[in-house]
Every structure is written in structure tokens, then in C-alpha cells.
Amino acid sequence: MTNKFNNCETCPVHQSTYLKKLGVNMDKWDYALALAGNPNTGKSTVFNALTGLRQHTGNWPGKTVTRAEGGFIYQEKRYKIVDLPGTYSLLSTSTDEEVARNFILFGKPDVTVIVIDATRIERNLNLTLQILEITDRIVICLNLMDEAGRHQLRIDERILSKELGVPVIPTSARKGEGIDELLRAIHEVANGLYVCKPHHILSGSKSLKRAVSQLVEKIENRFSGISNARWIALRLLEGDPRIIEAVKKGELDNLYQKIENTETR
Amino acid sequence: MKNQVDNIIEKNKITDEQILDTANSLRWDLGENLHDSLLESIYQDAAEISEKVVTKVDEKPRYDWDRTLDRLLTSRWTGFPIMLLMLTIIFWITISGANVPSALLASFLIDTIHPVLKDAAAYLGTPLWLDGLLIDGIYLAMAWVISVMLPPMMIFFPLFTLLEDFGYLPRVAFNLDSLFKKAGAHGKQALTMAMGYGCNAAGIIATRVIDSPRERLIAIITNNFSLCNGRWPTQILIASLFIGSMVPAALGGLVSATAVVAVALLGIVLTFVTSWFLSRTILKGEASTFSLELPPYRPPKILQTLYTSIIDRTIFVLWRAIIFAVPAGAVIWLSANVMIGDQSIGEYIVNFMDPFGLILGLNGVILFAYIIAIPANEIVIPTILMLTVMVLNASGVGEGAGVMFELDDYQTYTELFAAGGWTLLTAINLMLFSLIHNPCSTTIYTIYKETKSLKWTAISTFLPIVMGIAICFFVAQIWRIFVGAG
Amino acid sequence: MISEKKIEKQIRLSDLQKGDEAHIEGFEDDEGSLVRLRDMGLHDGISLRVIKFAPLGDPIEIKTRGFYLSIRKSLANRILIKKNNGIK
């Protein structure tokens, strides 16, 4: 195991500063989890299953419109979990997905749990692959397995896990199935017992890899403590005007502040 | 020494310029199509991976319930009738289901506990005015709100939630979208409108799903035309007393129910008309494009839904009863019992408002009641009853001035209203006004919290009431021309 | 990128009839709601089928990649497609 404790990124103090800025109170918790995924994948059901809470879950896309928070204790560690509204992509500009996007991008949770609809894997992978570019502490919850069964689909989660480089846990959250395994996987990733090797897009392109690492070095130097330099680098290389503006105005830091002000609902 | 270190640190600090320059040159090398390549790659990888991972097991075709249901619920012929039917069914179940529990709660809280409290107060030697204020005013107001609000809320919300969970609501949005588009509004307004039938405050919060601020405001301003649970009792009582009573008893229930549904439909029509009007005047703008995924139908988890819903709603009603009914109860009692000369404040106000009320086809009692009921729609009827009694100085009915009570049968109600000068016109206009007036205080507060704008909160509050006054006025005039004195 | 002239002559999603199958050739512009459709899974090359029109004629329900989407005609009008000739 490498020196976890010298690395700023894994220090609990470091984590909680970002989270506090997003209004997540980490005073009584050890780890923060983000629950992300497309709309209508049963995220809220997973949330309820993990926390034992009873947030209402409705069957229309966009039902969860605020950020629900809850917590649980597993193996004597206290986990705070934030249920984000569903989003289709981190690159789109629609405002009802901003909450989720900003948290995933700038919140740096300890583990991001991505909930995928087993009957719509290809479509769900869009967001998943994007998130894999940002963080490497991910657990995939392959939910709605009962629906997949109803539609006569068989999913090989081991191959999926191999392809994505992160743990994949099949669940049927509304039936309570698979939750124990999910908790275990979350625990292992959070505590560094399982190290992910997330799939990266265009990983075959050497020139991209070189370009990204060059840029990342510079970005991390200029904006110390930034949590997702790789994502910013990719956006800059793409020529994303919003990010370019933000860098020009030195506003990358402000992106964190802005979130703090829009989160309180 | 320190300066030198600082200088070195400064020199090694990368500037924003440098980052952008590096990015620019790298971008040149990589080619302008990086964005497209990345997107392509994501789609490709997603397709490849899912290909490897998913297999369809059985080729035997199974009966596709989903498609059949959809055909039924969104077809040209059956789509709209089914929506109407669903609305009626939900109304009917809520109304008939709430009757018994409401009566039980009322009998417990009012017939049983109230006297106990009075006795306790007498035992403690509480001064008469305090006893009256606290027990006859405040406590009774709370008791009324709880017995009137709790049962329908506990039926409607779980029903609605089950429907939501099942997946019906997006189909409603699908059916109605064309109308919303013509009105310049967003298809998802169908959903917020539906939520408003339970509680307008909940409907306002639901508008968060609407992206465009313009369309969100339209949904917010018009949400009050969805008859919330708190107003159903008013509608039902008046419809039963004045409209249902005009037909033979056997049909009475059906006719009153139809009248209530008709009012609800009027509300829907007004929603569209007002949305249209708003999007042509103060909320002009482009209709935003609307795409919605139609999720598969999912059998709802009945028990879990009931549990969540019931706890949610019970807490909400209790909170509301305490925060809003309490001051209202106090005001009612005070206005009926504080004398100026030989008349109570209440009588003065009612008499003062009477002329204006009559012009609108209502009366002073109703207007004053609506002012008192700004906090919460549920207390309109008991306030009206109490004020009518006070004005008539009727004896033998109720427990004296300023006390809310429950009358045991319709006969007494009818006599009371007749004595108060009520006519069919009064009843109709009351139903109309109940549909078209300002939102309750919880809703106003929610609107403010969601929009953070005094201007839009004011518009949402006053537009309906202005419309209500106008409509009642016109109905009264036309009625009087065609039907005679009213 | 498709040339201006070609865009004009292209068939749009809104031109299709119930039951038609087609695949996406492009989008008329990069406006937010079109991008969002892409995020939802409607990108170049994928196949779709028109299931029905709403009772009042608008919006359109399409099926693609296993899920169902309701799209207003004004949006469908900006999606360029090419009909499939009876091949699933």
C-alpha cells in the first residue's frame, strides 16, 4: 500500500473542507458518499435502502429535485450519503442537473456510487464513463435487476466490472437485494482496501495522455488543492468556452464558492 | 532571505495565461476535433461494453403489458376520457373515504375533548375571556383543521403517490403537452398542476422540474387553480347543500360530485387560459422545448408508499393546524366577542363588507371569513358558519358566539344559511371564489422561498383574487339579469 | 458537418409517420435541448422508431435503444434523420 497519509487527497481534513463548502456537514461522519446516476434509475430507492430513511421516490424522471442527505454506520464507520438528482451527462447545461453536476465535479466525495439501470446499460454508461474520468473511487450499483429479469435480459456484472475497472454490484433495491454486498464494496473502496483502475476514454491515444498530464501539472500548480484537474484539463483541451473563461478570470476557485450559495434549498 | 524564497515561489507559480497558452498549443497538436472524438469514444465504448455484458435470454415473445397500457392511456380516443375518469375516481375515493374518519375525529376532538378542556379551565378558575380565547377560539380552530384536513390528505396523497410510482403521470404530461405548448407553457406543468390537487405548496415545490424560469413562473402563478385538499370540504358541502339538494335524494350524491368535478375542470381551463395570457403579456418568451422520458410501468410498493405518505402528510397537517389555525381561531373568537358599543367587532366588519359582498353575489360574512382564512383554506366553512350565527344572533345553535362547531345534519345548515340570506347564487359564487382566490399563507410563503422575489410572489397572490372578484361580479350580474334577484 | 443546402433537404424526425423507422444523421444546431437529447442517448447513427403521436397530435413518442421518449414536434423538426428501409 502506498503512503496514503502523506497524500493530501486522502486526508480526511482535506475532504471535509470541500464538502463543507457544499453545505455538507461532516462533523459527525467519517466518509461522504455521493449517489449519482441517470434520472429514474432507482437512486432514491437505493438511498432509502442504505439509510433506512423514507424519502419519497416517484416514477417520473426528475422526481428528486433537491439533494437529500442521510447517513448510516457500517463496520463502525459513519457514512454520510448525498442523493443527487439524476443527470444524463456532466457536459450539458440544463439547470436542473446542475446540482448533481457541481457536487460530483467539485465536491470530491470519498466514494461516488453510480446507480445504473440494468435495463438501459448502454445509455447509462454515458454518464458513468464521464464520472470515471473524474474520480477513481467509484462503486457501481447495477440496480433494477428484477426489471432486467422481467425483460429477459441477462447481465454479466463481472465482465462489466472488468471493463470499467471498478466494482459492480447487482441489486434490486426495491426488494432489498444486493444491499449488503453494496455496503461491503463501498466500505472497501472508501478504506482503500479495493483500488480502482477506472476505464478512461481514448486511453489508447498516447498524445492525449501526454497532453493531459502536461496540463494537469500546470493546473495543479496554479490552483492548489483543486480536485479534478484532469477533467478541467480535458475541457481546456476541448476548448470549452466556459472553463476557459473561468481560468482567464482566475475564477476556478470561485466555482467552489458559488456552489455553496446555490445549494441551500 | 524570506524575499528570495518568495521570489522563487513566485517565479515557479504558473499563471492563468500560461495554462491557457499551453492548452491552446496542445489543442492545436491534438486537432480541433477532440470534443467530438471524446463524445464518439464515449458512445462507442458504451456500446462495446454493453454489447459484451448484456444478453437477451429468451426469444419467446412475452405479452407486452406496457405497450397495451400505453395504447390505452395515451390513445386519441381513450386517453382524455381516462384522465377525466382518474380525476373523478380520485376525488370520489378521497371524499367518501374521508367522511367517516373526519366525523370520528371531529366527534373526538370536539364533542369529547372540548368539554373536558372547558371543565378543566373552570376548575382552574380561568377568567372567562381567556377560557373562551384559548379553548373556544384556538383549540377549536385546531381541532377543526385536523379533523377536516387529515383524513383527505391521508387518502389523497398515498393514492396520488401510487399513481406516480406506477408511472402514469408522464403519460398525463404527454397527453396534455400540446395544450400547454399552445398556452406557451411547459409540458411538465401537467405534473405540477396534478400535485396541486393535493396541496398547492407541494405543487409549487414540484415546479423545480421546470428548467426555464419563465415557464416555471407560469406554473407557479397558475398552481392555485388546482383545487387543493383544503378546499374540497368547502366545495363538497356547498355543492351538497345547494346543488345536490335540488334533485331527488338518490341522485343527490352523484350530482354534487359532478358539480365539484366541474369546478375542478373549470380550474384546469383557467390554468390554460391564464398561462396563455401570462405568456403573451408579462411572461413573454419562447416556448422551451420539452422532452420527457416515458418510464416503464412499475408495480408500486403499496405498503411502503402508504407508510411514507401517511407519516409525511400527518406531520404536515399537524404543523399547519398549529401554526395557522391557532391565530385564526384567536381572531375569530376575538372578533365575535370583543364589543364596541353594542356590536362586536365582527358584526361591524361584516356589516361594513356586506354591500361589496352583495355586488359580487356573495355577502359580508363570506368576505370577512375569507380574510380570516388567508392562513388556511380549511377554516373557511367553520368561520362562515360561526359568523353567520353571530350575525343572526341565532339561539339554540352552537355554543354561543365565536365558537366553531360541527352541525349534525344538513337540514340545520340549510336553515341557517337560508336565514342568513343565502341563495343559489351565493352558493355558486362561493364555489367559484373558493377556486379563484389568493393562495393560502403556506403557499405564499413557499412561493417566496422558491422564487426569492417579492414581485412574483405578489403577482401570484393577487392575480387569482382579482380574477375571482371579476368573475364573481360578472356571474352575479348575469344571474340577476336572467334569473332575477339573487 | 453537413452543408447548409443539404440540411435543408434532409428529412426531419417530425416528418415521419407512426411506425416509421429511421436513424439519426445529425442535428440542426447545438442548442441546449438538442445537446440534452444527445446526452439522453440520441446521438448520430442510432436507430429509432416512431411509436405514436399524442392524442392532440403533439408530442411524438419514439422508441430508441430500449427506452421511450416524448419529444415536441418543434424539437423533432431539428433532428435530421434517414429512413431505414424495413431493416430492423
Side-chain angles (χ1 to χ4, degrees):
Chain A
M1 232 13 36
T2 46
N3 309 339
K4 286 193 302 186
F5 301 105
N6 284 350
N7 190 344
C8 269
E9 301 214 326
T10 50
C11 168
V13 173
H14 184 80
Q15 301 288 53
S16 59
T17 345
Y18 290 121
L19 293 165
K20 254 220 189 83
K21 285 186 175 173
L22 278 119
V24 180
N25 185 347
M26 288 301 290
D27 287 345
K28 296 190 293 197
W29 309 94
D30 296 310
Y31 296 107
L33 308 175
L35 198 56
N38 280 13
N40 220 238
T41 48
K43 264 193 301 83
S44 298
T45 318
V46 174
F47 178 82
N48 284 350
L50 289 175
T51 59
L53 282 183
R54 299 277 180 260
Q55 300 281 332
H56 175 243
T57 66
N59 191 11
W60 41 279
K63 172 66 187 189
T64 309
V65 281
T66 49
R67 204 182 62 195
E69 294 178 11
F72 59 90
I73 299 183
Y74 183 75
Q75 308 257 21
E76 285 162 39
K77 287 286 193 326
R78 299 160 302 177
Y79 291 85
K80 170 108 162 190
I81 180 165
V82 180
D83 180 14
L84 302 170
T87 175
Y88 288 109
S89 157
L90 298 179
L91 302 172
S92 61
T93 46
S94 100
T95 37
D96 68 344
E97 296 174 335
E98 241 175 62
V99 173
R101 234 180 23 246
N102 287 341
F103 193 89
I104 298 173
L105 286 175
F106 302 111
K108 236 182 142 203
D110 293 283
V111 181
T112 304
V113 178
I114 307 177
V115 181
I116 290 185
D117 178 348
T119 62
R120 303 220 198 306
I121 291 187
E122 185 175 351
R123 206 264 302 269
N124 280 214
L125 282 181
N126 187 14
L127 177 69
T128 309
L129 291 172
Q130 289 178 21
I131 298 183
L132 260 60
E133 294 291 317
I134 296 175
T135 164
D136 53 3
R137 305 178 87 207
I138 292 177
V139 170
I140 297 210
C141 172
L142 187 60
N143 198 25
L144 297 170
M145 289 298 287
D146 49 338
E147 286 289 306
R150 203 160 75 87
H151 288 103
Q152 300 163 298
L153 297 171
R154 193 173 44 211
I155 324 273
D156 191 333
E157 71 269 8
R158 274 187 313 208
I159 297 187
L160 187 57
S161 179
K162 210 166 74 110
E163 293 286 326
L164 295 178
V166 299
V168 172
I169 312 291
T171 62
S172 246
R174 48 200 324 244
K175 294 193 174 153
E177 292 169 4
I179 302 297
D180 289 332
E181 288 85 350
L182 184 63
L183 283 167
R184 196 157 4 145
I186 293 175
H187 181 78
E188 287 178 2
V189 173
N191 288 287
L193 298 167
Y194 183 114
V195 176
C196 308
K197 286 199 180 51
H199 169 105
H200 282 153
I201 339 173
L202 286 184
S203 44
S205 165
K206 286 217 180 72
S207 52
L208 180 64
K209 265 209 198 117
R210 258 201 315 261
V212 169
S213 61
Q214 244 189 293
L215 210 45
V216 163
E217 200 190 306
K218 294 208 157 71
I219 295 175
E220 281 176 343
N221 178 301
R222 165 67 180 89
F223 299 98
S224 59
I226 202 172
S227 58
N228 47 1
R230 184 194 156 84
W231 187 84
I232 304 264
L234 282 171
R235 301 285 80 72
L236 284 176
L237 289 172
E238 278 184 331
D240 183 331
R242 282 174 303 151
I243 303 294
I244 292 182
E245 259 317 287
V247 173
K248 250 194 223 164
K249 295 191 184 159
E251 264 178 9
L252 232 37
D253 291 327
N254 291 357
L255 280 171
Y256 294 81
Q257 311 293 26
K258 240 198 268 178
I259 299 159
E260 186 181 307
N261 296 333
T262 53
E263 283 310 289
T264 41
R265 261 181 171 165
Chain B
M1 188 62 203
K2 187 168 186 290
N3 271 347
Q4 284 181 307
V5 173
D6 283 343
N7 281 342
I8 296 174
I9 295 178
E10 273 303 309
K11 257 204 226 132
N12 288 337
K13 211 55 171 137
I14 304 285
T15 64
D16 301 334
E17 287 298 311
Q18 289 175 313
I19 292 184
L20 292 175
D21 287 340
T22 318
N24 279 334
S25 62
L26 286 171
R27 205 181 310 132
W28 260 126
D29 296 338
L30 288 173
E32 283 294 325
N33 284 323
L34 181 62
H35 178 77
D36 291 341
S37 311
L38 284 174
L39 280 184
E40 276 288 326
S41 176
I42 293 185
Y43 299 138
Q44 226 172 318
D45 288 5
E48 276 172 20
I49 295 178
S50 85
E51 186 82 13
K52 290 186 197 164
V53 162
V54 181
T55 26
K56 189 130 174 71
V57 166
D58 202 3
E59 289 307 326
K60 189 174 57 187
R62 259 151 136 239
Y63 190 69
D64 199 347
W65 282 108
D66 276 26
R67 290 303 96 214
T68 318
L69 262 176
D70 252 358
R71 257 202 295 272
L72 210 60
L73 298 177
T74 55
S75 93
R76 184 123 53 107
W77 304 114
T78 56
F80 272 83
I82 291 188
M83 286 197 307
L84 189 59
L85 191 64
M86 294 258 51
L87 181 68
T88 315
I89 292 181
I90 291 187
F91 264 100
W92 184 77
I93 296 182
T94 310
I95 292 172
S96 35
N99 262 336
V100 172
S102 271
L104 285 176
L105 269 174
S107 118
F108 175 64
L109 291 173
I110 299 180
D111 297 338
T112 318
I113 305 256
H114 182 240
V116 168
L117 288 176
K118 291 290 264 187
D119 289 342
Y123 180 74
L124 291 172
T126 345
L128 221 57
W129 67 268
L130 189 63
D131 166 315
L133 181 63
L134 287 180
I135 302 179
D136 295 330
I138 293 180
Y139 171 76
L140 278 184
M142 270 179 56
W144 179 277
V145 166
I146 294 177
S147 44
V148 155
M149 281 287 268
L150 204 55
M153 282 262 185
M154 297 223 287
I155 299 178
F156 177 88
F157 272 93
L159 271 184
F160 186 77
T161 308
L162 286 176
L163 213 54
E164 260 190 294
D165 285 353
F166 179 59
Y168 181 52
L169 292 188
R171 273 84 190 172
V172 171
F174 182 68
N175 287 344
L176 293 177
D177 183 49
S178 174
L179 291 174
F180 280 107
K181 177 171 169 203
K182 294 208 175 90
H186 196 277
K188 286 189 186 163
Q189 195 172 322
L191 304 167
T192 64
M193 203 173 77
M195 289 239 50
Y197 280 103
C199 170
N200 292 119
I204 303 291
I205 296 190
T207 62
R208 287 178 188 171
V209 294
I210 299 178
D211 272 346
S212 116
R214 178 189 81 91
E215 286 163 337
R216 189 167 173 222
L217 277 173
I218 292 182
I220 288 179
I221 296 177
T222 55
N223 194 268
N224 207 53
F225 296 127
S226 293
L227 263 187
C228 69
N229 272 178
R231 296 185 260 173
W232 291 16
T234 311
Q235 297 284 337
I236 297 161
L237 181 66
I238 303 296
S240 312
L241 284 182
F242 287 88
I243 301 180
S245 58
M246 299 196 312
V247 297
L251 288 178
L254 186 61
V255 167
S256 353
T258 315
V260 179
V261 172
V263 173
L265 286 178
L266 177 63
I268 296 180
V269 169
L270 282 175
T271 306
F272 283 114
V273 168
T274 314
S275 303
W276 181 85
F277 176 72
L278 287 171
S279 61
R280 291 264 186 290
T281 54
I282 54 179
L283 279 170
K284 262 200 269 241
E286 285 298 309
S288 78
T289 45
F290 164 63
S291 55
L292 178 70
E293 188 193 338
L294 297 166
Y297 292 104
R298 301 217 176 113
K301 290 202 86 179
I302 300 187
L303 289 177
Q304 184 156 340
T305 304
L306 287 179
Y307 179 72
T308 324
S309 225
I310 288 180
I311 299 219
D312 244 355
R313 287 294 116 190
T314 310
I315 296 180
F316 179 76
V317 170
L318 290 177
W319 171 80
R320 211 170 141 74
I322 297 175
I323 308 268
F324 296 112
V326 164
V331 168
I332 296 175
W333 191 88
L334 287 172
S335 70
N337 287 282
V338 171
M339 301 295 189
I340 301 184
D342 61 345
Q343 282 200 313
S344 61
I345 296 184
E347 283 178 86
Y348 270 116
I349 299 182
V350 166
N351 290 334
F352 176 70
M353 297 191 134
D354 231 8
F356 184 54
L358 286 171
I359 298 180
L360 297 182
L362 300 167
N363 57 41
V365 164
I366 295 178
L367 289 185
F368 186 37
Y370 263 98
I371 294 180
I372 296 181
I374 288 179
N377 283 298
E378 311 84 277
I379 54 180
V380 165
I381 286 288
T383 315
I384 289 180
L385 290 173
M386 182 281 300
L387 288 173
T388 310
V389 166
M390 172 194 77
V391 160
L392 292 177
N393 277 326
S395 50
V397 187
E399 323 232 317
V403 173
M404 286 203 196
F405 52 85
E406 184 93 16
L407 292 171
D408 274 336
D409 66 277
Y410 283 171
Q411 193 65 2
T412 341
Y413 280 114
T414 323
E415 284 168 4
L416 187 65
F417 283 132
W422 287 49
T423 64
L424 185 54
L425 171 65
T426 321
I428 291 179
N429 273 10
L430 177 54
M431 284 174 79
L432 287 177
F433 196 68
S434 157
L435 176 68
I436 317 167
H437 74 291
N438 55 283
C440 72
S441 50
T442 312
T443 307
I444 297 179
Y445 177 62
T446 310
I447 295 178
Y448 182 64
K449 269 211 323 188
E450 293 291 309
T451 60
K452 303 208 179 25
S453 150
L454 277 174
K455 167 181 168 192
W456 291 113
T457 311
I459 294 181
S460 309
T461 310
F462 291 110
L463 181 64
I465 205 172
V466 165
M467 285 174 69
I469 291 179
I471 292 182
C472 285
F473 177 75
F474 280 116
V475 169
Q477 303 323 307
I478 298 182
W479 181 279
R480 287 182 179 135
I481 294 178
F482 287 102
V483 181
Chain C
M1 279 258 67
I2 315 177
S3 71
E4 286 285 319
K5 243 209 203 134
K6 207 164 174 235
I7 289 182
E8 271 167 41
K9 289 206 277 169
Q10 284 268 353
I11 320 179
R12 314 310 173 97
L13 182 52
S14 49
D15 297 326
L16 294 177
Q17 309 285 7
K18 174 171 168 173
D20 280 350
E21 291 191 13
H23 59 269
I24 297 190
E25 289 232 308
F27 298 90
E28 198 173 79
D29 54 64
D30 272 329
E31 189 256 319
S33 23
L34 288 178
V35 171
R36 193 203 166 98
L37 282 182
R38 261 216 298 272
D39 292 336
M40 285 172 85
L42 257 70
H43 52 88
D44 292 19
I46 65 141
S47 256
L48 55 88
R49 182 154 62 104
V50 175
I51 303 286
K52 61 144 50 104
F53 294 83
L56 298 172
D58 195 10
I60 308 175
E61 182 185 354
I62 63 170
K63 175 178 178 175
T64 167
R65 285 250 190 83
F67 67 96
Y68 297 85
L69 205 53
S70 147
I71 305 185
R72 273 190 184 169
K73 275 196 185 149
S74 55
L75 187 58
N77 196 37
R78 288 143 71 203
I79 302 177
L80 311 164
I81 50 102
K82 186 147 185 220
K83 272 205 205 181
N84 292 351
N85 297 315
I87 306 169
K88 270 230 173 94

